Amino acid sequence: MTHLTRPVITVVGGGFAGTALVLQLRRQPALAQAEIHLIEPRDVPGPGLAYTARRPEYLLNVRHGALSLYPETPNHFTEWLTTQPESTAGVPDFAPRSAYGRYLHEALAAVLAPAPGGVQLHSTTAVAAPLLPDGRRAVRLANSTEIRSDFVVLALGNFPPPPPTGPDLRYLTHPGYHADPWAMGNLRRIGPDEAVLLIGSGLTAVDVLLALRQDGHRAPITVVARHGRWPTAHGPMALPYPTFYTELASETTVAGVLAVFKRQLKKAADQGIDWRPVLDSLRPDLGRIWAAWPLAEQHRFLRHLVGLWAVSRHRSPPKNAEAVATLAAEGLVQLHVGTVREILPDGNELRVRVRPHGLAGSWHTAHHVVCCAGPLLDYARLDTPLVVSLREAGHLTPDPLRLGLLTDDCGALLTADGTASATLFTLGPSRRPAYFESTAVPELRQQAVALAAKIASQV
């Protein structure tokens, strides 16, 4: 315990994870006098990348009852939502993501203030956080400000996907290539009769399809995905399936866990129970199941099953799933199994070589190619200045599977020799190596609670 009278805490990133942490830090009695800084370059802090888009057709992919900022008040978001325009005809099961963005912003705005006791917002980026001789860190911002901090927390969220092909990267500067489907106004550059090809068929691709339809797009759309599956639709509300973790606790292989799961699926089916509650019953124990696997087994899961897991676990609102099915039935969306191996500029079009598994491949031509692939997880490849400086100094360590960062149980960053930092922490997607999944609200808000308590205990 350091016995700091006025600790300085800097949180880098003002999306969901950073917002949840700041709110929890303000709730800690031991941190009542703390000076808290939040670094967030976006115009509106709180929503982050996931909840910034103002399109009403972008829906949350979980029901509102699971989205409270506060674990101990599960109805907090639901009660807020009842007061909003989106609920004039009743609270929607799957609310617009923009509404959730407002919810986060309002909660954060209530604690933002330059005066003592408030959270100080810096609308810029952090570029470095070197360790000082006195044990603190100097968080250096792009606007030349320096914040001498006792604790620094990286809440950096997800990073854009890497280029889907190489080494010829000329397509990256082509006006028809869209590296970031979330960029403001990006999709509205696509004409209604222009051919479009999407890379990926996950929830992002579903959102892009719905946005294009909303904008009046009429031309057929080609979708290329390695596993060739759309996200599964959510089923009706159902009773929770009882946990069977005691059967899984001793399993240290993917095959062993899968065998237990299949037995439970059959047991549920015999009782007329849908598979979704069975899968959902694993959620509280996912981290323990993942941690019990040796590295080779974790790699096996990532290689063979992660695609099936993604479409089963991360589901689409029924309304969205129905819309995609309708587009496919009308021939307006064609899903191709394979990987994009090459993208070449060809005048005002792009030529895309798609290789199905084990086959020679074929060429597709489109006016626009939209990358809807998953985020870049590998901290060894990130070129963000703050990450680069910490990586080169040996203060953060990418994990062997390149899913995020190595941390201790509380989120303290580990050096290459396994030493836990006393000043540098992280939460959110960067903690995938420990949990495999570290992006959903229930998990992130619990990380925020635990990390706030950890920091308070060190003051």
Side-chain angles (χ1 to χ4, degrees):
M1 189 171 293
T2 54
H3 301 291
L4 299 171
T5 57
R6 187 168 173 75
V8 179
I9 306 167
T10 299
V11 179
V12 184
F16 178 86
T19 295
L21 177 61
V22 163
L23 294 173
Q24 292 297 333
L25 290 170
R26 284 280 65 133
R27 289 179 153 204
Q28 293 289 328
L31 300 176
Q33 301 302 314
E35 180 182 318
I36 301 176
H37 298 265
L38 179 64
I39 317 302
E40 173 52 59
R42 292 185 179 89
D43 293 338
V44 179
L49 176 64
Y51 310 111
T52 296
R54 295 180 176 87
R55 286 178 171 269
E57 64 268 24
Y58 288 173
L59 302 181
L60 295 163
N61 62 355
V62 293
R63 291 180 169 90
H64 56 78
L67 294 172
S68 169
L69 268 165
Y70 308 103
E72 74 283 2
T73 314
N75 291 326
H76 191 266
F77 173 60
T78 300
E79 291 172 358
W80 177 91
L81 188 58
T82 61
T83 68
Q84 302 302 304
E86 290 84 357
S87 298
T88 53
V91 179
D93 268 359
F94 300 91
R97 286 216 299 271
S98 57
Y100 196 63
R102 295 200 313 272
Y103 166 71
L104 297 177
H105 175 65
E106 288 183 17
L108 180 60
V111 301
L112 292 178
V119 176
Q120 300 181 46
L121 175 65
H122 302 262
S123 300
T124 183
T125 57
V127 297
L131 194 62
L132 298 171
D134 63 3
R136 294 189 295 171
R137 289 188 177 271
V139 180
R140 294 170 184 162
L141 308 184
N143 63 7
S144 300
T145 300
E146 181 176 288
I147 307 169
R148 298 205 164 203
S149 307
D150 299 290
F151 305 99
V152 178
V153 182
L154 306 181
L156 303 177
N158 283 315
F159 292 88
T165 71
D168 187 344
L169 299 177
R170 289 177 296 157
Y171 67 90
L172 294 180
T173 58
H174 191 280
Y177 181 73
H178 304 256
D180 181 7
W182 306 113
M184 189 69 68
N186 203 349
L187 299 181
R188 291 196 167 100
R189 296 193 289 109
I190 298 175
D193 297 305
E194 292 181 318
V196 176
L197 184 145
L198 308 185
I199 302 174
S201 63
L203 292 169
T204 297
V206 172
D207 282 341
V208 170
L209 287 176
L210 297 180
L212 289 174
R213 186 184 69 165
Q214 183 68 26
D215 292 344
H217 187 265
R218 297 184 292 262
I221 297 173
T222 300
V223 181
V224 178
R226 186 172 303 168
H227 52 69
R229 301 182 183 93
W230 294 108
T232 306
H234 277 282
M237 287 288 289
L239 293 173
Y241 191 79
T243 179
F244 50 96
Y245 179 70
T246 53
E247 297 180 51
L248 296 168
S250 61
E251 298 291 345
T252 58
T253 67
V254 175
V257 170
L258 196 57
V260 173
F261 179 64
K262 287 181 176 179
R263 286 200 300 270
Q264 290 294 330
L265 283 180
K266 184 179 184 308
K267 179 180 176 181
D270 290 343
Q271 301 174 53
I273 298 173
D274 185 61
W275 62 268
R276 293 170 181 83
V278 184
L279 185 67
D280 293 343
S281 71
L282 296 174
R283 184 167 183 171
D285 302 302
L286 283 177
R288 292 194 290 177
I289 295 169
W290 172 258
W293 289 342
L295 194 65
E297 289 296 310
Q298 293 178 347
H299 182 265
R300 182 172 287 109
F301 176 82
L302 294 174
R303 183 176 181 182
H304 297 291
L305 289 177
V306 72
L308 180 60
W309 170 266
V311 299
S312 303
R313 163 73 180 83
H314 302 286
R315 298 170 205 144
S316 189
K319 178 181 176 181
N320 289 3
E322 291 168 8
V324 172
T326 299
L327 290 171
E330 294 174 351
L332 296 176
V333 172
Q334 296 182 349
L335 180 58
H336 295 263
V337 179
T339 55
V340 172
R341 306 307 294 265
E342 197 172 2
I343 304 176
L344 298 176
D346 185 10
N348 66 344
E349 296 179 326
L350 290 162
R351 298 179 64 235
V352 182
R353 183 164 67 90
V354 176
R355 182 181 178 184
H357 304 307
L359 301 177
S362 58
W363 287 92
H364 299 259
T365 300
H367 296 97
H368 297 269
V369 173
V370 185
C371 185
C372 303
L376 176 59
L377 309 177
D378 186 358
Y379 272 71
R381 296 173 59 189
L382 290 171
D383 58 4
T384 303
L386 176 61
V387 172
V388 171
S389 65
L390 291 171
R391 186 175 64 218
E392 292 179 347
H395 295 162
L396 61 75
T397 309
D399 73 295
L401 295 176
R402 298 300 192 247
L403 293 175
L405 295 173
L406 293 181
T407 66
D408 72 2
D409 292 342
C410 296
L413 295 192
L414 301 183
T415 59
D417 65 3
T419 302
S421 174
T423 58
L424 193 58
F425 299 83
T426 191
L427 80 165
S430 55
R431 296 192 66 185
R432 283 186 180 98
Y435 303 108
F436 170 60
E437 287 204 347
S438 187
T439 56
V441 166
E443 287 78 22
L444 298 196
R445 68 189 178 195
Q446 197 58 53
Q447 289 181 28
V449 170
L451 183 51
K454 171 67 173 179
I455 292 174
S457 73
Q458 295 188 205
V459 171

PDB file of all heavy atoms in Angstrom, residues 27 35 38 47 57 85 92 123 137 181 190 193 209 225 258 280 294 307 333 356 386 397 407 415:
ATOM      1  N   ARG A  27     -16.679   5.751  -7.356  1.00  0.00           N
ATOM      2  CA  ARG A  27     -17.482   5.156  -6.284  1.00  0.00           C
ATOM      3  C   ARG A  27     -16.623   4.646  -5.123  1.00  0.00           C
ATOM      4  O   ARG A  27     -17.166   4.249  -4.096  1.00  0.00           O
ATOM      5  CB  ARG A  27     -18.293   3.978  -6.841  1.00  0.00           C
ATOM      6  CG  ARG A  27     -19.435   4.400  -7.758  1.00  0.00           C
ATOM      7  CD  ARG A  27     -20.179   3.179  -8.288  1.00  0.00           C
ATOM      8  NE  ARG A  27     -21.562   3.522  -8.611  1.00  0.00           N
ATOM      9  CZ  ARG A  27     -22.551   2.648  -8.655  1.00  0.00           C
ATOM     10  NH1 ARG A  27     -22.322   1.374  -8.383  1.00  0.00           N
ATOM     11  NH2 ARG A  27     -23.773   3.027  -8.954  1.00  0.00           N
ATOM     12  N   GLU A  35      -7.271  12.359  -8.288  1.00  0.00           N
ATOM     13  CA  GLU A  35      -7.335  13.171  -9.508  1.00  0.00           C
ATOM     14  C   GLU A  35      -7.402  12.194 -10.678  1.00  0.00           C
ATOM     15  O   GLU A  35      -6.455  11.446 -10.927  1.00  0.00           O
ATOM     16  CB  GLU A  35      -6.096  14.056  -9.600  1.00  0.00           C
ATOM     17  CG  GLU A  35      -6.035  14.958 -10.817  1.00  0.00           C
ATOM     18  CD  GLU A  35      -4.745  15.770 -10.844  1.00  0.00           C
ATOM     19  OE1 GLU A  35      -4.333  16.276  -9.786  1.00  0.00           O
ATOM     20  OE2 GLU A  35      -4.137  15.873 -11.935  1.00  0.00           O
ATOM     21  N   LEU A  38      -9.276  11.333 -18.021  1.00  0.00           N
ATOM     22  CA  LEU A  38      -9.771  10.453 -19.069  1.00  0.00           C
ATOM     23  C   LEU A  38      -9.306  10.986 -20.413  1.00  0.00           C
ATOM     24  O   LEU A  38      -9.561  12.152 -20.751  1.00  0.00           O
ATOM     25  CB  LEU A  38     -11.301  10.376 -19.033  1.00  0.00           C
ATOM     26  CG  LEU A  38     -11.961   9.489 -20.100  1.00  0.00           C
ATOM     27  CD1 LEU A  38     -11.562   8.026 -19.921  1.00  0.00           C
ATOM     28  CD2 LEU A  38     -13.482   9.627 -20.054  1.00  0.00           C
ATOM     29  N   PRO A  47     -19.572   6.641 -25.726  1.00  0.00           N
ATOM     30  CA  PRO A  47     -20.039   5.567 -26.611  1.00  0.00           C
ATOM     31  C   PRO A  47     -18.918   4.728 -27.214  1.00  0.00           C
ATOM     32  O   PRO A  47     -19.119   3.548 -27.499  1.00  0.00           O
ATOM     33  CB  PRO A  47     -20.799   6.319 -27.716  1.00  0.00           C
ATOM     34  CG  PRO A  47     -21.151   7.633 -27.112  1.00  0.00           C
ATOM     35  CD  PRO A  47     -20.022   7.963 -26.181  1.00  0.00           C
ATOM     36  N   GLU A  57     -30.969   1.887 -37.596  1.00  0.00           N
ATOM     37  CA  GLU A  57     -31.048   0.478 -37.993  1.00  0.00           C
ATOM     38  C   GLU A  57     -29.958  -0.371 -37.344  1.00  0.00           C
ATOM     39  O   GLU A  57     -30.013  -1.606 -37.398  1.00  0.00           O
ATOM     40  CB  GLU A  57     -30.979   0.336 -39.525  1.00  0.00           C
ATOM     41  CG  GLU A  57     -29.676   0.785 -40.147  1.00  0.00           C
ATOM     42  CD  GLU A  57     -29.697   2.250 -40.567  1.00  0.00           C
ATOM     43  OE1 GLU A  57     -30.492   3.023 -39.993  1.00  0.00           O
ATOM     44  OE2 GLU A  57     -28.922   2.611 -41.462  1.00  0.00           O
ATOM     45  N   PRO A  85     -37.119   8.388 -26.443  1.00  0.00           N
ATOM     46  CA  PRO A  85     -38.045   8.342 -27.592  1.00  0.00           C
ATOM     47  C   PRO A  85     -38.176   6.946 -28.202  1.00  0.00           C
ATOM     48  O   PRO A  85     -39.237   6.620 -28.757  1.00  0.00           O
ATOM     49  CB  PRO A  85     -37.402   9.314 -28.596  1.00  0.00           C
ATOM     50  CG  PRO A  85     -36.561  10.227 -27.758  1.00  0.00           C
ATOM     51  CD  PRO A  85     -36.075   9.421 -26.611  1.00  0.00           C
ATOM     52  N   PRO A  92     -38.127  -1.565 -26.580  1.00  0.00           N
ATOM     53  CA  PRO A  92     -37.744  -2.600 -27.549  1.00  0.00           C
ATOM     54  C   PRO A  92     -36.776  -3.604 -26.928  1.00  0.00           C
ATOM     55  O   PRO A  92     -35.911  -3.232 -26.143  1.00  0.00           O
ATOM     56  CB  PRO A  92     -37.065  -1.807 -28.671  1.00  0.00           C
ATOM     57  CG  PRO A  92     -36.534  -0.581 -27.992  1.00  0.00           C
ATOM     58  CD  PRO A  92     -37.502  -0.261 -26.878  1.00  0.00           C
ATOM     59  N   SER A 123      -9.477  15.793 -24.688  1.00  0.00           N
ATOM     60  CA  SER A 123      -9.956  15.390 -26.014  1.00  0.00           C
ATOM     61  C   SER A 123      -8.796  15.279 -26.993  1.00  0.00           C
ATOM     62  O   SER A 123      -8.670  16.055 -27.950  1.00  0.00           O
ATOM     63  CB  SER A 123     -11.007  16.380 -26.516  1.00  0.00           C
ATOM     64  OG  SER A 123     -12.105  16.423 -25.637  1.00  0.00           O
ATOM     65  N   ARG A 137       4.309   7.386 -13.746  1.00  0.00           N
ATOM     66  CA  ARG A 137       4.400   7.401 -15.203  1.00  0.00           C
ATOM     67  C   ARG A 137       4.021   8.772 -15.731  1.00  0.00           C
ATOM     68  O   ARG A 137       3.098   9.412 -15.217  1.00  0.00           O
ATOM     69  CB  ARG A 137       3.493   6.330 -15.832  1.00  0.00           C
ATOM     70  CG  ARG A 137       4.003   4.922 -15.607  1.00  0.00           C
ATOM     71  CD  ARG A 137       3.234   3.878 -16.365  1.00  0.00           C
ATOM     72  NE  ARG A 137       3.836   2.566 -16.141  1.00  0.00           N
ATOM     73  CZ  ARG A 137       4.812   2.048 -16.882  1.00  0.00           C
ATOM     74  NH1 ARG A 137       5.272   2.734 -17.924  1.00  0.00           N
ATOM     75  NH2 ARG A 137       5.317   0.867 -16.606  1.00  0.00           N
ATOM     76  N   PRO A 181     -15.883   0.436 -41.911  1.00  0.00           N
ATOM     77  CA  PRO A 181     -17.308   0.643 -42.223  1.00  0.00           C
ATOM     78  C   PRO A 181     -18.009   1.567 -41.240  1.00  0.00           C
ATOM     79  O   PRO A 181     -19.115   2.045 -41.507  1.00  0.00           O
ATOM     80  CB  PRO A 181     -17.895  -0.777 -42.143  1.00  0.00           C
ATOM     81  CG  PRO A 181     -16.951  -1.544 -41.289  1.00  0.00           C
ATOM     82  CD  PRO A 181     -15.597  -0.952 -41.527  1.00  0.00           C
ATOM     83  N   ILE A 190     -21.498   5.118 -51.325  1.00  0.00           N
ATOM     84  CA  ILE A 190     -21.803   4.018 -52.238  1.00  0.00           C
ATOM     85  C   ILE A 190     -23.110   4.318 -52.963  1.00  0.00           C
ATOM     86  O   ILE A 190     -24.150   4.525 -52.339  1.00  0.00           O
ATOM     87  CB  ILE A 190     -21.909   2.685 -51.462  1.00  0.00           C
ATOM     88  CG1 ILE A 190     -20.563   2.378 -50.802  1.00  0.00           C
ATOM     89  CG2 ILE A 190     -22.340   1.556 -52.390  1.00  0.00           C
ATOM     90  CD1 ILE A 190     -20.584   1.150 -49.912  1.00  0.00           C
ATOM     91  N   ASP A 193     -26.707   1.782 -57.324  1.00  0.00           N
ATOM     92  CA  ASP A 193     -26.569   0.727 -58.336  1.00  0.00           C
ATOM     93  C   ASP A 193     -25.128   0.253 -58.479  1.00  0.00           C
ATOM     94  O   ASP A 193     -24.800  -0.434 -59.459  1.00  0.00           O
ATOM     95  CB  ASP A 193     -27.097   1.229 -59.684  1.00  0.00           C
ATOM     96  CG  ASP A 193     -28.576   1.555 -59.627  1.00  0.00           C
ATOM     97  OD1 ASP A 193     -29.355   0.666 -59.227  1.00  0.00           O
ATOM     98  OD2 ASP A 193     -28.949   2.701 -59.933  1.00  0.00           O
ATOM     99  N   LEU A 209     -25.092  -4.394 -44.426  1.00  0.00           N
ATOM    100  CA  LEU A 209     -26.189  -4.740 -45.342  1.00  0.00           C
ATOM    101  C   LEU A 209     -27.446  -3.935 -45.026  1.00  0.00           C
ATOM    102  O   LEU A 209     -28.095  -3.389 -45.930  1.00  0.00           O
ATOM    103  CB  LEU A 209     -26.507  -6.230 -45.230  1.00  0.00           C
ATOM    104  CG  LEU A 209     -25.510  -7.207 -45.842  1.00  0.00           C
ATOM    105  CD1 LEU A 209     -25.942  -8.643 -45.557  1.00  0.00           C
ATOM    106  CD2 LEU A 209     -25.391  -6.993 -47.343  1.00  0.00           C
ATOM    107  N   ALA A 225     -16.813 -15.034 -46.915  1.00  0.00           N
ATOM    108  CA  ALA A 225     -16.486 -15.374 -45.529  1.00  0.00           C
ATOM    109  C   ALA A 225     -15.824 -16.737 -45.475  1.00  0.00           C
ATOM    110  O   ALA A 225     -16.206 -17.659 -46.204  1.00  0.00           O
ATOM    111  CB  ALA A 225     -17.743 -15.368 -44.659  1.00  0.00           C
ATOM    112  N   LEU A 258     -16.070 -30.444 -25.639  1.00  0.00           N
ATOM    113  CA  LEU A 258     -17.075 -30.586 -26.688  1.00  0.00           C
ATOM    114  C   LEU A 258     -17.949 -31.822 -26.443  1.00  0.00           C
ATOM    115  O   LEU A 258     -19.177 -31.772 -26.657  1.00  0.00           O
ATOM    116  CB  LEU A 258     -16.381 -30.687 -28.047  1.00  0.00           C
ATOM    117  CG  LEU A 258     -17.240 -30.470 -29.292  1.00  0.00           C
ATOM    118  CD1 LEU A 258     -17.916 -29.109 -29.250  1.00  0.00           C
ATOM    119  CD2 LEU A 258     -16.384 -30.595 -30.552  1.00  0.00           C
ATOM    120  N   ASP A 280     -25.501 -20.659 -23.502  1.00  0.00           N
ATOM    121  CA  ASP A 280     -25.406 -19.482 -22.642  1.00  0.00           C
ATOM    122  C   ASP A 280     -25.038 -19.847 -21.206  1.00  0.00           C
ATOM    123  O   ASP A 280     -24.460 -19.027 -20.481  1.00  0.00           O
ATOM    124  CB  ASP A 280     -26.734 -18.714 -22.653  1.00  0.00           C
ATOM    125  CG  ASP A 280     -27.040 -18.094 -24.007  1.00  0.00           C
ATOM    126  OD1 ASP A 280     -26.101 -17.979 -24.821  1.00  0.00           O
ATOM    127  OD2 ASP A 280     -28.200 -17.745 -24.255  1.00  0.00           O
ATOM    128  N   PRO A 294      -4.320 -26.200 -22.157  1.00  0.00           N
ATOM    129  CA  PRO A 294      -2.933 -25.840 -22.500  1.00  0.00           C
ATOM    130  C   PRO A 294      -2.912 -24.995 -23.779  1.00  0.00           C
ATOM    131  O   PRO A 294      -3.889 -24.952 -24.531  1.00  0.00           O
ATOM    132  CB  PRO A 294      -2.260 -27.197 -22.720  1.00  0.00           C
ATOM    133  CG  PRO A 294      -3.157 -28.202 -22.089  1.00  0.00           C
ATOM    134  CD  PRO A 294      -4.545 -27.641 -22.173  1.00  0.00           C
ATOM    135  N   GLY A 307     -14.799 -19.999 -35.547  1.00  0.00           N
ATOM    136  CA  GLY A 307     -15.805 -19.460 -36.462  1.00  0.00           C
ATOM    137  C   GLY A 307     -17.209 -19.918 -36.102  1.00  0.00           C
ATOM    138  O   GLY A 307     -18.151 -19.122 -36.067  1.00  0.00           O
ATOM    139  N   VAL A 333     -28.250 -10.696 -52.038  1.00  0.00           N
ATOM    140  CA  VAL A 333     -27.036 -10.988 -51.282  1.00  0.00           C
ATOM    141  C   VAL A 333     -26.614 -12.412 -51.595  1.00  0.00           C
ATOM    142  O   VAL A 333     -27.426 -13.344 -51.493  1.00  0.00           O
ATOM    143  CB  VAL A 333     -27.260 -10.834 -49.757  1.00  0.00           C
ATOM    144  CG1 VAL A 333     -26.036 -11.324 -48.987  1.00  0.00           C
ATOM    145  CG2 VAL A 333     -27.545  -9.401 -49.404  1.00  0.00           C
ATOM    146  N   PRO A 356     -11.779 -20.404 -52.533  1.00  0.00           N
ATOM    147  CA  PRO A 356     -12.459 -21.365 -51.666  1.00  0.00           C
ATOM    148  C   PRO A 356     -11.441 -22.370 -51.125  1.00  0.00           C
ATOM    149  O   PRO A 356     -10.356 -22.538 -51.678  1.00  0.00           O
ATOM    150  CB  PRO A 356     -13.467 -22.041 -52.602  1.00  0.00           C
ATOM    151  CG  PRO A 356     -13.570 -21.127 -53.781  1.00  0.00           C
ATOM    152  CD  PRO A 356     -12.232 -20.471 -53.909  1.00  0.00           C
ATOM    153  N   LEU A 386       1.290   4.993 -28.592  1.00  0.00           N
ATOM    154  CA  LEU A 386       1.355   4.604 -27.183  1.00  0.00           C
ATOM    155  C   LEU A 386       1.722   3.130 -27.051  1.00  0.00           C
ATOM    156  O   LEU A 386       2.576   2.762 -26.225  1.00  0.00           O
ATOM    157  CB  LEU A 386       0.015   4.875 -26.503  1.00  0.00           C
ATOM    158  CG  LEU A 386      -0.110   4.430 -25.050  1.00  0.00           C
ATOM    159  CD1 LEU A 386       0.905   5.149 -24.175  1.00  0.00           C
ATOM    160  CD2 LEU A 386      -1.525   4.647 -24.529  1.00  0.00           C
ATOM    161  N   THR A 397       3.403  -6.961 -23.011  1.00  0.00           N
ATOM    162  CA  THR A 397       3.823  -8.199 -23.662  1.00  0.00           C
ATOM    163  C   THR A 397       2.645  -8.827 -24.392  1.00  0.00           C
ATOM    164  O   THR A 397       1.669  -9.240 -23.750  1.00  0.00           O
ATOM    165  CB  THR A 397       4.367  -9.203 -22.628  1.00  0.00           C
ATOM    166  OG1 THR A 397       5.348  -8.579 -21.825  1.00  0.00           O
ATOM    167  CG2 THR A 397       4.955 -10.423 -23.326  1.00  0.00           C
ATOM    168  N   THR A 407      -1.469 -10.358 -18.681  1.00  0.00           N
ATOM    169  CA  THR A 407      -1.778  -9.603 -17.462  1.00  0.00           C
ATOM    170  C   THR A 407      -1.849 -10.565 -16.286  1.00  0.00           C
ATOM    171  O   THR A 407      -1.944 -11.787 -16.459  1.00  0.00           O
ATOM    172  CB  THR A 407      -3.133  -8.881 -17.578  1.00  0.00           C
ATOM    173  OG1 THR A 407      -4.178  -9.871 -17.661  1.00  0.00           O
ATOM    174  CG2 THR A 407      -3.192  -7.975 -18.806  1.00  0.00           C
ATOM    175  N   THR A 415       5.496  -7.942 -17.764  1.00  0.00           N
ATOM    176  CA  THR A 415       6.664  -7.838 -18.623  1.00  0.00           C
ATOM    177  C   THR A 415       6.979  -9.218 -19.184  1.00  0.00           C
ATOM    178  O   THR A 415       6.341 -10.214 -18.827  1.00  0.00           O
ATOM    179  CB  THR A 415       7.871  -7.299 -17.842  1.00  0.00           C
ATOM    180  OG1 THR A 415       8.139  -8.198 -16.746  1.00  0.00           O
ATOM    181  CG2 THR A 415       7.584  -5.914 -17.285  1.00  0.00           C
TER     182      THR A 415
END
